[in-house]
Amino acid sequence: MTADPTARFSVAGKSIIITGASGAMGSEAAKGLGAAGAKLTLAGSNREALEQLAALPECAGAAICVRRPDTPDDAKAIVDTAVNAFGKLDGMLVASGMNKVAMITDMDVADWESVMDANVKGSWLMSQAAGRVWLEQGTGGSLVLVSSTRGKLGHPAGYTAYCPSKAAVDLLGKTLAAEWGPSQVRVNVLAPTVFRSELTAWMYADDEKGRATREAMFARIPLKRFAEPEDFVGALVYLLSDASTFMTGQVLYLDGGYTAC
């Protein structure tokens, strides 16, 4: 009798950290992974939002760490919260990040640095803290970093901080996959295009600006729509489960076909 292949997609009982858990992607990931039985550690700077998320039936039993990965101590505290709560760490989604938009001739260095710190330094610090635990555990693990189609493609309207930061995340994922492969720690990168969030709500609006933006974008997106946060849950279940034990060092574009055109 052939074993059920869908069993490899189970995340039940896996201890998984989500940073940026109060954001659009992070919160939807928490609900999806929690409903599938994962033991969640939710990290972010908004205590109220984290507590509301942890109170949902899907996230019952989740641990909370009210921190952003701004320093090595912050990153360690987040990882320690998961290990202390559940005795181990199996996977992590680094969904925290930010953007500040300005043409390069107008952008302050401080704004450029803040984007790099949030997107690159934060991913690096969380990777370092989790990696130390995984190498000590000796049982492997799965890390998912969040990038963007803008890690591959430029943008004409003030993205000289964001695009380079996401390209750095892509290469960080590939480098860690090579470094940690012998220890069976897998590292992959999820790279979406526009998805619904507080920052992109205007693109979904039924006004002249929203309609014009969608028309221009949909000319490049074969599926002719933007993403919803729940569109990423299936890929995350795959990447954080045993179904992807031979996948590492990859940038997975969930973009409706945007980068194919």
Side-chain angles (χ1 to χ4, degrees), residues 74-134:
D74 291 327
K76 184 178 186 300
I78 294 169
V79 171
D80 285 349
T81 297
V83 175
N84 292 337
F86 305 115
K88 61 175 182 172
L89 179 63
D90 299 303
M92 182 168 68
L93 168 65
V94 181
S96 49
M98 66 172 296
N99 186 21
K100 291 191 176 182
V101 177
M103 305 304 281
I104 191 170
T105 49
D106 300 322
M107 178 171 276
D108 292 334
V109 172
D111 286 342
W112 185 89
E113 288 177 339
S114 68
V115 174
M116 288 294 176
D117 283 349
N119 297 347
V120 185
K121 183 181 177 182
S123 295
W124 190 92
L125 288 172
M126 287 307 306
S127 299
Q128 181 187 62
R132 286 171 173 164
V133 170
W134 282 324

Coordinates of all heavy atoms in Angstrom, one line a residue, residues 74-134:
D74 N 17.6 41.2 20.1 CA 16.2 41.1 19.7 C 16.0 39.7 19.0 O 15.1 39.0 19.3 CB 15.8 42.2 18.7 CG 15.7 43.5 19.4 OD1 15.4 43.6 20.6 OD2 16.0 44.5 18.7
A75 N 16.9 39.4 18.0 CA 16.8 38.2 17.3 C 16.9 37.0 18.2 O 16.1 36.0 18.1 CB 17.8 38.1 16.2
K76 N 17.9 37.0 19.1 CA 18.0 35.9 20.0 C 16.8 35.7 20.9 O 16.4 34.6 21.2 CB 19.3 36.1 20.9 CG 19.6 34.9 21.8 CD 20.9 35.2 22.6 CE 21.3 33.9 23.4 NZ 20.2 33.6 24.4
A77 N 16.2 36.8 21.4 CA 15.1 36.8 22.2 C 13.9 36.1 21.5 O 13.1 35.3 22.1 CB 14.7 38.2 22.7
I78 N 13.7 36.4 20.2 CA 12.6 35.8 19.4 C 12.8 34.3 19.3 O 11.9 33.5 19.6 CB 12.6 36.5 18.1 CG1 12.1 38.0 18.2 CG2 11.6 35.7 17.2 CD1 12.3 38.8 16.9
V79 N 14.1 33.9 19.0 CA 14.3 32.5 18.8 C 14.2 31.8 20.2 O 13.7 30.7 20.3 CB 15.7 32.3 18.2 CG1 16.1 30.8 18.3 CG2 15.7 32.8 16.8
D80 N 14.7 32.4 21.2 CA 14.7 31.8 22.6 C 13.2 31.6 23.0 O 12.9 30.6 23.7 CB 15.4 32.7 23.6 CG 16.9 32.6 23.5 OD1 17.4 31.7 22.8 OD2 17.6 33.4 24.1
T81 N 12.3 32.6 22.6 CA 10.9 32.4 23.0 C 10.3 31.1 22.4 O 9.6 30.4 23.1 CB 10.1 33.6 22.5 OG1 10.6 34.8 23.1 CG2 8.6 33.5 22.8
A82 N 10.7 30.8 21.2 CA 10.2 29.6 20.5 C 10.7 28.4 21.2 O 10.0 27.4 21.5 CB 10.5 29.6 19.0
V83 N 12.0 28.4 21.4 CA 12.7 27.2 22.0 C 12.2 27.0 23.4 O 11.9 25.8 23.8 CB 14.2 27.3 22.0 CG1 14.9 26.2 22.7 CG2 14.7 27.4 20.5
N84 N 12.0 28.0 24.2 CA 11.6 27.9 25.6 C 10.1 27.4 25.6 O 9.7 26.7 26.5 CB 11.7 29.2 26.3 CG 13.2 29.6 26.6 OD1 14.0 28.8 26.6 ND2 13.4 30.9 26.7
A85 N 9.3 27.9 24.7 CA 7.9 27.5 24.7 C 7.6 26.1 24.2 O 6.8 25.4 24.7 CB 7.1 28.5 23.8
F86 N 8.4 25.7 23.2 CA 8.1 24.4 22.5 C 9.3 23.4 22.5 O 9.1 22.3 21.9 CB 7.6 24.7 21.1 CG 6.5 25.7 21.0 CD1 6.6 26.9 20.4 CD2 5.3 25.3 21.6 CE1 5.6 27.8 20.4 CE2 4.2 26.2 21.5 CZ 4.3 27.5 20.9
G87 N 10.4 23.8 23.1 CA 11.5 22.8 23.2 C 12.3 22.6 22.0 O 13.3 21.9 22.0
K88 N 12.0 23.3 20.9 CA 12.8 23.1 19.6 C 12.4 24.2 18.7 O 11.5 25.0 18.9 CB 12.4 21.8 19.0 CG 10.9 21.6 18.6 CD 10.6 20.4 17.9 CE 9.2 20.3 17.5 NZ 8.9 19.1 16.6
L89 N 13.1 24.3 17.5 CA 12.8 25.2 16.4 C 12.9 24.4 15.2 O 13.9 23.8 14.9 CB 13.7 26.4 16.4 CG 13.5 27.4 15.2 CD1 12.1 28.0 15.4 CD2 14.5 28.4 15.2
D90 N 11.8 24.3 14.4 CA 11.7 23.6 13.1 C 11.8 24.5 11.9 O 12.4 24.1 10.9 CB 10.5 22.7 13.1 CG 10.4 21.7 14.1 OD1 11.4 20.9 14.2 OD2 9.4 21.7 14.9
G91 N 11.1 25.6 12.0 CA 11.1 26.5 10.8 C 10.9 28.0 11.2 O 10.5 28.3 12.3
M92 N 11.1 28.8 10.2 CA 11.0 30.3 10.5 C 10.6 31.0 9.2 O 11.2 30.7 8.1 CB 12.2 30.8 11.1 CG 12.1 32.3 11.4 SD 13.5 32.9 12.4 CE 14.9 32.8 11.2
L93 N 9.7 31.9 9.3 CA 9.3 32.8 8.2 C 9.7 34.2 8.7 O 9.2 34.7 9.7 CB 7.8 32.7 7.9 CG 7.2 33.8 7.0 CD1 7.8 33.8 5.6 CD2 5.7 33.8 7.0
V94 N 10.6 34.9 7.9 CA 11.0 36.2 8.2 C 10.2 37.2 7.3 O 10.5 37.4 6.2 CB 12.5 36.5 8.0 CG1 12.9 37.9 8.4 CG2 13.3 35.5 8.9
A95 N 9.0 37.6 7.8 CA 8.1 38.4 7.0 C 8.1 39.9 7.4 O 7.3 40.7 7.0 CB 6.7 37.9 7.2
S96 N 9.1 40.3 8.3 CA 9.2 41.7 8.7 C 10.0 42.5 7.6 O 10.9 41.9 7.0 CB 9.8 41.8 10.0 OG 11.0 41.1 10.1
G97 N 9.6 43.7 7.4 CA 10.4 44.5 6.4 C 9.7 45.9 6.2 O 8.6 46.1 6.9
M98 N 10.2 46.7 5.4 CA 9.6 48.0 5.1 C 10.1 48.6 3.8 O 11.0 48.0 3.1 CB 10.0 49.0 6.3 CG 11.5 49.3 6.3 SD 11.8 50.6 7.5 CE 11.0 52.0 6.8
N99 N 9.5 49.7 3.4 CA 9.9 50.4 2.2 C 9.8 51.9 2.5 O 8.8 52.3 3.2 CB 9.1 50.0 1.0 CG 9.7 50.7 -0.3 OD1 10.8 51.1 -0.3 ND2 8.8 50.7 -1.3
K100 N 10.7 52.7 1.9 CA 10.5 54.2 1.9 C 10.8 54.6 0.5 O 11.9 54.2 -0.1 CB 11.5 54.9 2.9 CG 11.0 54.6 4.3 CD 11.8 55.5 5.3 CE 11.3 55.3 6.7 NZ 12.0 56.2 7.7
V101 N 9.9 55.3 -0.1 CA 10.0 55.6 -1.5 C 10.4 57.1 -1.7 O 9.8 58.0 -1.2 CB 8.6 55.4 -2.2 CG1 8.7 55.8 -3.7 CG2 8.2 53.9 -2.1
A102 N 11.5 57.3 -2.5 CA 11.9 58.6 -2.9 C 13.0 58.4 -4.0 O 13.7 57.4 -4.1 CB 12.6 59.3 -1.8
M103 N 13.0 59.4 -5.0 CA 14.0 59.3 -6.0 C 15.4 59.5 -5.3 O 15.5 60.1 -4.3 CB 13.8 60.4 -7.0 CG 12.4 60.4 -7.6 SD 12.0 58.8 -8.4 CE 12.9 59.0 -10.0
I104 N 16.4 58.9 -5.9 CA 17.7 58.8 -5.2 C 18.3 60.2 -4.9 O 18.9 60.5 -3.9 CB 18.7 58.0 -6.1 CG1 20.0 57.8 -5.3 CG2 19.0 58.7 -7.4 CD1 21.0 56.8 -5.9
T105 N 17.9 61.2 -5.8 CA 18.4 62.6 -5.6 C 17.7 63.3 -4.4 O 18.2 64.3 -3.9 CB 18.3 63.4 -6.8 OG1 16.9 63.2 -7.3 CG2 19.2 62.9 -7.9
D106 N 16.6 62.7 -4.0 CA 15.9 63.3 -2.9 C 15.9 62.5 -1.6 O 15.5 62.9 -0.5 CB 14.4 63.5 -3.3 CG 14.2 64.4 -4.5 OD1 15.0 65.4 -4.6 OD2 13.4 64.1 -5.3
M107 N 16.4 61.2 -1.6 CA 16.3 60.3 -0.5 C 17.4 60.7 0.5 O 18.6 60.8 0.2 CB 16.5 58.9 -0.9 CG 16.4 57.9 0.2 SD 16.3 56.2 -0.3 CE 14.5 56.0 -0.5
D108 N 17.0 60.7 1.8 CA 18.0 60.9 2.9 C 18.7 59.5 3.1 O 18.1 58.5 3.0 CB 17.3 61.3 4.2 CG 16.7 62.7 4.1 OD1 17.2 63.5 3.4 OD2 15.8 62.9 4.9
V109 N 20.0 59.6 3.4 CA 20.8 58.4 3.7 C 20.1 57.7 4.9 O 20.1 56.4 4.9 CB 22.2 58.8 4.1 CG1 23.0 57.6 4.6 CG2 22.9 59.4 2.8
A110 N 19.6 58.4 5.8 CA 18.9 57.7 7.0 C 17.8 56.9 6.5 O 17.5 55.8 7.1 CB 18.5 58.7 8.0
D111 N 17.0 57.3 5.6 CA 15.9 56.5 5.1 C 16.4 55.3 4.3 O 15.8 54.2 4.4 CB 15.0 57.4 4.1 CG 14.2 58.4 4.9 OD1 14.0 58.2 6.1 OD2 13.7 59.4 4.3
W112 N 17.4 55.5 3.5 CA 18.0 54.4 2.8 C 18.5 53.3 3.8 O 18.2 52.1 3.7 CB 19.2 54.8 1.9 CG 19.8 53.8 1.1 CD1 19.4 53.4 -0.2 CD2 20.9 53.0 1.4 NE1 20.3 52.5 -0.7 CE2 21.2 52.1 0.3 CE3 21.7 52.8 2.5 CZ2 22.2 51.2 0.3 CZ3 22.8 51.9 2.5 CH2 23.0 51.1 1.4
E113 N 19.2 53.8 4.8 CA 19.7 52.8 5.9 C 18.6 52.1 6.6 O 18.7 50.9 7.0 CB 20.6 53.6 6.8 CG 21.9 54.0 6.2 CD 22.7 54.9 7.2 OE1 22.2 55.4 8.2 OE2 24.0 54.9 7.0
S114 N 17.5 52.8 6.8 CA 16.3 52.2 7.6 C 15.7 51.0 6.8 O 15.3 50.0 7.3 CB 15.3 53.2 7.9 OG 14.6 53.7 6.8
V115 N 15.7 51.2 5.4 CA 15.1 50.1 4.6 C 16.1 49.0 4.6 O 15.7 47.8 4.7 CB 14.9 50.6 3.2 CG1 14.5 49.5 2.2 CG2 13.8 51.7 3.2
M116 N 17.4 49.3 4.4 CA 18.4 48.2 4.5 C 18.4 47.5 5.8 O 18.5 46.2 5.9 CB 19.8 48.8 4.2 CG 20.0 49.2 2.7 SD 20.0 47.8 1.6 CE 20.1 48.6 0.0
D117 N 18.3 48.2 6.9 CA 18.3 47.6 8.2 C 17.1 46.7 8.4 O 17.2 45.5 8.9 CB 18.3 48.7 9.3 CG 19.6 49.3 9.5 OD1 20.6 48.8 9.0 OD2 19.7 50.4 10.2
A118 N 15.9 47.1 8.0 CA 14.7 46.3 8.2 C 14.7 45.1 7.3 O 14.4 44.0 7.7 CB 13.5 47.2 7.9
N119 N 15.1 45.3 6.0 CA 15.0 44.2 5.1 C 16.2 43.2 5.0 O 16.0 42.0 4.9 CB 14.7 44.7 3.7 CG 13.4 45.5 3.6 OD1 12.6 45.4 4.5 ND2 13.2 46.2 2.5
V120 N 17.4 43.8 5.1 CA 18.6 43.0 5.0 C 19.1 42.6 6.4 O 19.3 41.4 6.7 CB 19.7 43.7 4.2 CG1 20.9 42.8 4.0 CG2 19.1 44.1 2.8
K121 N 19.4 43.6 7.2 CA 20.0 43.3 8.5 C 19.1 42.5 9.3 O 19.5 41.6 10.0 CB 20.3 44.7 9.2 CG 21.0 44.5 10.6 CD 21.2 45.8 11.2 CE 21.8 45.7 12.6 NZ 22.0 47.0 13.2
G122 N 17.8 42.8 9.3 CA 16.8 42.0 10.1 C 16.8 40.6 9.6 O 16.7 39.7 10.5
S123 N 16.8 40.3 8.3 CA 16.8 39.0 7.8 C 18.1 38.2 8.2 O 18.1 37.1 8.6 CB 16.7 39.0 6.3 OG 15.4 39.5 5.9
W124 N 19.2 39.0 8.2 CA 20.5 38.4 8.5 C 20.6 38.0 10.0 O 21.0 37.0 10.4 CB 21.6 39.4 8.2 CG 23.0 38.9 8.3 CD1 23.8 38.3 7.3 CD2 23.9 38.9 9.5 NE1 25.0 37.9 7.8 CE2 25.1 38.3 9.1 CE3 23.7 39.3 10.8 CZ2 26.1 38.1 10.0 CZ3 24.7 39.2 11.7 CH2 25.9 38.6 11.3
L125 N 20.1 38.9 10.8 CA 20.1 38.7 12.3 C 19.2 37.5 12.7 O 19.6 36.7 13.5 CB 19.7 39.9 13.0 CG 20.7 41.1 13.1 CD1 20.0 42.3 13.7 CD2 21.9 40.7 13.8
M126 N 18.0 37.4 12.1 CA 17.1 36.3 12.4 C 17.7 35.0 11.9 O 17.6 34.0 12.6 CB 15.7 36.5 11.8 CG 14.9 37.6 12.5 SD 14.7 37.3 14.3 CE 14.1 35.6 14.4
S127 N 18.4 35.0 10.7 CA 19.0 33.9 10.2 C 20.1 33.4 11.1 O 20.3 32.2 11.4 CB 19.6 34.1 8.8 OG 18.5 34.5 7.9
Q128 N 20.9 34.3 11.6 CA 22.0 34.0 12.5 C 21.5 33.3 13.8 O 22.0 32.3 14.2 CB 22.8 35.3 12.8 CG 24.0 35.0 13.7 CD 24.7 36.3 14.2 OE1 24.1 37.1 14.9 NE2 25.9 36.5 13.8
A129 N 20.5 34.0 14.4 CA 20.0 33.4 15.7 C 19.4 32.1 15.5 O 19.6 31.1 16.3 CB 19.0 34.4 16.3
A130 N 18.6 31.9 14.4 CA 18.0 30.6 14.2 C 19.0 29.5 13.8 O 18.9 28.4 14.2 CB 16.9 30.7 13.1
G131 N 19.9 30.0 13.0 CA 21.0 29.0 12.5 C 21.8 28.4 13.7 O 22.1 27.2 13.6
R132 N 22.1 29.2 14.6 CA 22.8 28.7 15.8 C 22.1 27.6 16.5 O 22.6 26.6 16.9 CB 23.1 29.9 16.8 CG 24.2 30.8 16.2 CD 24.4 32.1 17.1 NE 25.5 32.9 16.6 CZ 25.8 34.1 17.0 NH1 24.9 34.8 17.7 NH2 26.8 34.8 16.5
V133 N 20.7 27.8 16.6 CA 19.9 26.8 17.2 C 19.8 25.5 16.4 O 20.0 24.4 16.8 CB 18.5 27.3 17.5 CG1 17.5 26.2 17.9 CG2 18.5 28.4 18.6
W134 N 19.6 25.7 15.1 CA 19.5 24.5 14.2 C 20.8 23.7 14.1 O 20.8 22.5 14.1 CB 19.1 25.0 12.8 CG 17.7 25.3 12.6 CD1 16.6 24.7 13.2 CD2 17.1 26.4 11.8 NE1 15.5 25.3 12.9 CE2 15.7 26.3 12.0 CE3 17.6 27.4 11.0 CZ2 14.8 27.2 11.4 CZ3 16.8 28.2 10.4 CH2 15.4 28.2 10.5

